[in-house]
Amino acid sequence: MNRNYTILLGLVILAALFPVVSSSYITVGLTVLMFTGWASSWNILGGWAGQLSLGHATFVGLGAYFVAIGASQFELAPWWSILIGMAVAGIMALLWGKLTFGLHGPYFTLSTIAIAEMVRLVAINEGWLTGGATGVFIDYLPEPFGIDLFDKTVQYYLMLAYAAITLLITIFISTRKFGYQLKAVRDNEEAAMAAGINPTAIKLKAFVLSAMLTALGGGIYGIFLSFIEPHIIFNLLLSVQIALTVIIGGRGTIWGPAVGAAVLIISGEVFRTVFEQANMLVYGILILVVILAMPKGIVGEYAHRLIRRKYANRA
Amino acid sequence: MLELISFFQNLSNGILIGAVYALIGVGLTLVFGVMRTINFAHGDFVVLGMYFAVLLNSLLGWDPYLTLILAVPLGFIVGAGIQKYLLSRVIDEKHESMLLATLGISLVIANLLLLTFGGEPQSVHVSYSTSTLQVSDVRISVVLLLAGLATVVVITLLYLLLNKTEIGRAIRATAENRLGAELVGVNTKRIQAIVFGLGMCLAVTAGVSLIPLLFASPVTTGALFTLKAFVVTVLGGLGNIGAAIMGGLVLGVVEVLGASYLDSAYRDAYGLLVFLLVLLLKPEGLFGKTVKRV
């Protein structure tokens, strides 16, 4: 029916075999999958709906905090706390969007930074709510069917499931009316309105979906970290990292986020010994290269060339 | 009476720190006026100025203000170079390309500083760093006062440049209507490079005058200043220089008063809150005249 579903199935099988082949790079694989998931979630709002958000770390943090506080204070199983975290993220995105979707272009981007920074400051300062600036430690997790959730391989498969879900939803949206509505709003809001689309409603839907999926990944990330510090998880740089992953890979494409995640995380890993903490240098250089040489992103540019070749052959 | 003294104490601190914010904001708003885009690397330019002062101080023992002799021309050359060789290639595309390109420059600068100087926060210790001036009962820190004075001098020079020279006229023309300026023979590419260079000069000057006061660390300080510059410019109305000065003063006073009368842990949040409110309720800025969406 759709070639993309077949590609996804193939990729999932390959990724599922990865821990069997190479157990030493399992954390790298997990990180690639995590960023694939976050980037695909961001892509729904930032790519398909064209709203450049630099505040998505907020939803990562929400997801992670609900898991950590649920586990450490209420002995709540992570699947329940992740669901609660996703619901809260969704409600928050709804309010956030209602407040700021009147702003356009750079003004919207600035407002996302401002809100995300305020959330970070609250998380650092309100100790009773978050465990304070020192962070929360997850010391207890249940063992469903005897599976140890602290095990890295288990966490890898959780992330694989997460990345697969976000990609599945992206492919699904791309063929649906909602996907076309998103693109219409991105390309020209006035024209979309003339065609009977309510741009704000569409953007709100995209934001809520994007936020909930980001929080889902944040929850699994919380399990992986098992120690959560507010100034790290709500950091502006994490939001920037997620956004740049999509833009380098290709905004508004299905496979762009995954390609971006693979390229950035793997090159970050290769240069880790050279750059040490200055790991974001790779992001800076690559975004400049992409902006100057291939403004549609790696996947976008590739697809563009394929189409051109197709038409050239036909003519 | 004691409360009144402490109020004036806070107010004077707020105004002086606000003056430096104004200096940072004016650079950002000047660039916005001509390029119609936001420069995400502006805060990192400030930090570059700080590290330049740290470097010359540790190598040659120069006073931070002495380093301005080198920092300002270098800042201009580097800024104009960035615009001419990098940003001019994307300036005619969607505004987002420019925003993302400056975000990339910001990451490159921050991480190169991290590689060269390490992550430890650094500062310059000057002999006058703890001295104060007493005006009746209000104490004013000499370092803050110098920073405020530097702002006044720089902004006066900028005002003269923009209003009394031929280049200034071309800059104002380009900001008002780029196509129109081109039609009457202004080389707008050259103006854009000059303006970006000027913006960097202003940022570097702010950085140098802040270094006896604050610690610089490569990654976090840059992002913080970029954010403050946004707050200042949006408070005043993007692209409006006079308003950016007012925006800077408002931010400085709001931060200092908020920190001393409400909760000091939220110092950075007060500015952000005011920023968000202005953005939502009055997007043309507190002191802006016309609504111009980019």
Side-chain angles (χ1 to χ4, degrees):
Chain A
M1 184 183 78
N2 188 326
R3 204 161 45 102
N4 286 317
Y5 288 115
T6 328
I7 299 177
L8 179 61
L9 186 67
L11 284 177
V12 169
I13 292 172
L14 274 180
L17 292 174
F18 180 75
V20 185
V21 184
S22 156
S23 59
S24 47
Y25 288 109
I26 200 158
T27 313
V28 180
L30 186 149
T31 315
V32 171
L33 291 171
M34 181 167 77
F35 270 95
T36 301
W38 283 339
S40 301
S41 316
W42 186 92
N43 194 26
I44 296 170
L45 179 72
W48 296 89
Q51 305 298 308
L52 190 74
S53 150
L54 290 179
H56 263 55
T58 301
F59 306 117
V60 172
L62 273 182
Y65 259 102
F66 270 91
V67 168
I69 291 174
S72 65
Q73 291 181 15
F74 305 101
E75 299 205 346
L76 191 65
W79 45 91
W80 297 122
S81 50
I82 285 180
L83 280 180
I84 300 170
M86 285 172 73
V88 172
I91 293 165
M92 184 162 172
L94 189 71
L95 298 174
W96 184 331
K98 273 197 189 296
L99 200 64
T100 57
F101 275 143
L103 302 167
H104 294 270
Y107 292 96
F108 174 76
T109 307
L110 290 180
S111 72
T112 58
I113 299 178
I115 294 178
E117 278 298 293
M118 285 197 274
V119 171
R120 186 179 66 94
L121 286 168
V122 170
I124 290 175
N125 289 315
E126 300 305 315
W128 56 274
L129 196 66
T130 60
T134 46
V136 197
F137 196 72
I138 301 181
D139 45 6
Y140 156 84
L141 284 175
E143 295 193 357
F145 314 109
I147 298 168
D148 178 15
L149 288 175
F150 283 118
D151 183 55
K152 284 275 170 292
T153 317
V154 172
Q155 292 166 350
Y156 175 89
Y157 284 109
L158 282 176
M159 278 299 179
L160 176 59
Y162 169 57
I165 288 169
T166 57
L167 282 167
L168 201 64
I169 290 175
T170 311
I171 299 172
F172 182 73
I173 289 174
S174 73
T175 60
R176 293 289 150 153
K177 192 174 163 194
F178 182 49
Y180 292 103
Q181 287 172 329
L182 285 174
K183 280 197 225 172
V185 169
R186 173 189 66 193
D187 292 339
N188 189 333
E189 270 192 35
E190 278 82 27
M193 259 199 283
I197 298 170
N198 178 351
T200 311
I202 294 294
K203 284 194 265 182
L204 276 177
K205 270 193 213 167
F207 199 3
V208 170
L209 182 61
S210 174
M212 288 176 75
L213 287 174
T214 310
L216 171 61
I220 305 173
Y221 184 44
I223 296 175
F224 168 69
L225 282 180
S226 77
F227 178 64
I228 296 157
E229 292 169 280
H231 59 275
I232 290 178
I233 205 148
F234 284 109
N235 201 316
L236 174 63
L237 280 180
L238 180 59
S239 302
V240 169
Q241 235 176 324
I242 294 172
L244 289 192
T245 304
V246 182
I247 293 160
I248 289 168
R251 281 172 88 179
T253 63
I254 291 167
W255 302 106
V259 171
V263 168
L264 285 165
I265 299 301
I266 292 171
S267 52
E269 201 57 38
V270 170
F271 293 115
R272 184 174 291 275
T273 44
V274 192
F275 294 153
E276 292 174 27
Q277 303 153 289
N279 228 326
M280 291 288 281
L281 191 59
V282 178
Y283 285 79
I285 293 170
L286 275 177
I287 188 71
L288 283 174
V289 169
V290 162
I291 291 292
L292 292 174
M294 32 187 175
K296 288 185 171 64
I298 299 170
V299 171
E301 211 64 28
Y302 177 71
H304 188 67
R305 274 191 203 153
L306 269 190
I307 291 169
R308 275 209 343 223
R309 196 173 305 154
K310 204 169 108 186
Y311 280 101
N313 287 343
R314 194 180 290 173
Chain B
M1 192 57 204
L2 216 59
E3 275 172 23
L4 202 64
I5 291 173
S6 89
F7 175 76
F8 278 113
Q9 179 75 61
N10 287 323
L11 194 67
S12 70
N13 283 347
I15 288 174
L16 288 172
I17 198 84
V20 183
Y21 290 160
L23 191 57
I24 302 173
V26 165
L28 190 78
T29 215
L30 187 70
V31 170
F32 181 88
V34 171
M35 323 290 201
R36 296 277 134 201
T37 192
I38 284 163
N39 176 15
F40 258 95
H42 199 70
D44 298 281
F45 292 169
V46 177
V47 178
L48 268 183
M50 294 173 110
Y51 271 97
F52 191 70
V54 167
L55 188 71
L56 286 190
N57 183 269
S58 63
L59 288 182
L60 307 168
W62 285 20
D63 184 272
Y65 283 96
L66 190 61
T67 62
L68 280 176
I69 307 173
L70 284 177
V72 170
L74 264 179
F76 184 81
I77 294 167
V78 172
I82 288 177
Q83 168 62 26
K84 191 169 178 206
Y85 296 107
L86 216 70
L87 296 178
S88 64
R89 289 158 192 252
V90 291
I91 198 159
D92 290 323
E93 288 167 31
K94 284 195 305 179
H95 63 257
E96 272 177 4
S97 316
M98 184 88 173
L99 191 150
L100 292 169
T102 55
L103 186 59
I105 294 171
S106 153
L107 288 173
V108 169
I109 293 177
N111 287 291
L112 284 180
L113 283 175
L114 188 61
L115 275 179
T116 338
F117 291 92
E120 280 295 307
Q122 304 212 26
S123 186
V124 171
H125 185 77
V126 285
S127 53
Y128 49 87
S129 61
T130 48
S131 21
T132 52
L133 278 184
Q134 189 102 5
V135 181
S136 71
D137 283 323
V138 178
R139 285 168 186 279
I140 297 170
S141 139
V142 171
V143 179
L144 257 180
L145 194 65
L146 280 174
L149 277 178
T151 306
V152 174
V153 171
V154 170
I155 287 179
T156 315
L157 288 177
L158 185 71
Y159 176 83
L160 292 176
L161 176 80
L162 286 178
N163 291 294
K164 305 285 176 201
T165 65
E166 201 50 43
I167 285 184
R169 203 146 74 131
I171 291 174
R172 281 183 294 135
T174 312
E176 206 153 289
N177 186 338
R178 196 175 138 207
L179 196 64
E182 254 169 46
L183 284 174
V184 295
V186 174
N187 181 352
T188 52
K189 288 258 177 214
R190 189 168 146 258
I191 293 298
Q192 283 168 345
I194 289 174
V195 164
F196 210 82
L198 279 178
M200 187 143 180
C201 281
L202 292 169
V204 167
T205 312
V208 168
S209 50
L210 278 174
I211 192 70
L213 203 68
L214 296 177
F215 280 90
S217 69
V219 180
T220 45
T221 325
L224 190 73
F225 282 133
T226 305
L227 214 57
K228 291 214 195 287
F230 289 156
V231 176
V232 168
T233 44
V234 172
L235 276 182
L238 272 167
N240 182 340
I241 288 172
I245 299 169
M246 291 306 290
L249 296 179
V250 169
L251 177 65
V253 171
V254 164
E255 268 190 12
V256 172
L257 291 186
S260 47
Y261 292 110
L262 298 167
D263 186 348
S264 63
Y266 282 107
R267 185 182 172 123
D268 293 326
Y270 302 122
L272 288 173
L273 194 64
V274 176
F275 165 69
L276 203 62
L277 288 176
V278 170
L279 208 54
L280 294 171
L281 303 175
K282 206 167 176 300
E284 71 274 24
L286 287 179
F287 311 98
K289 281 171 292 189
T290 49
V291 187
K292 245 188 209 167
R293 285 272 163 78
V294 227

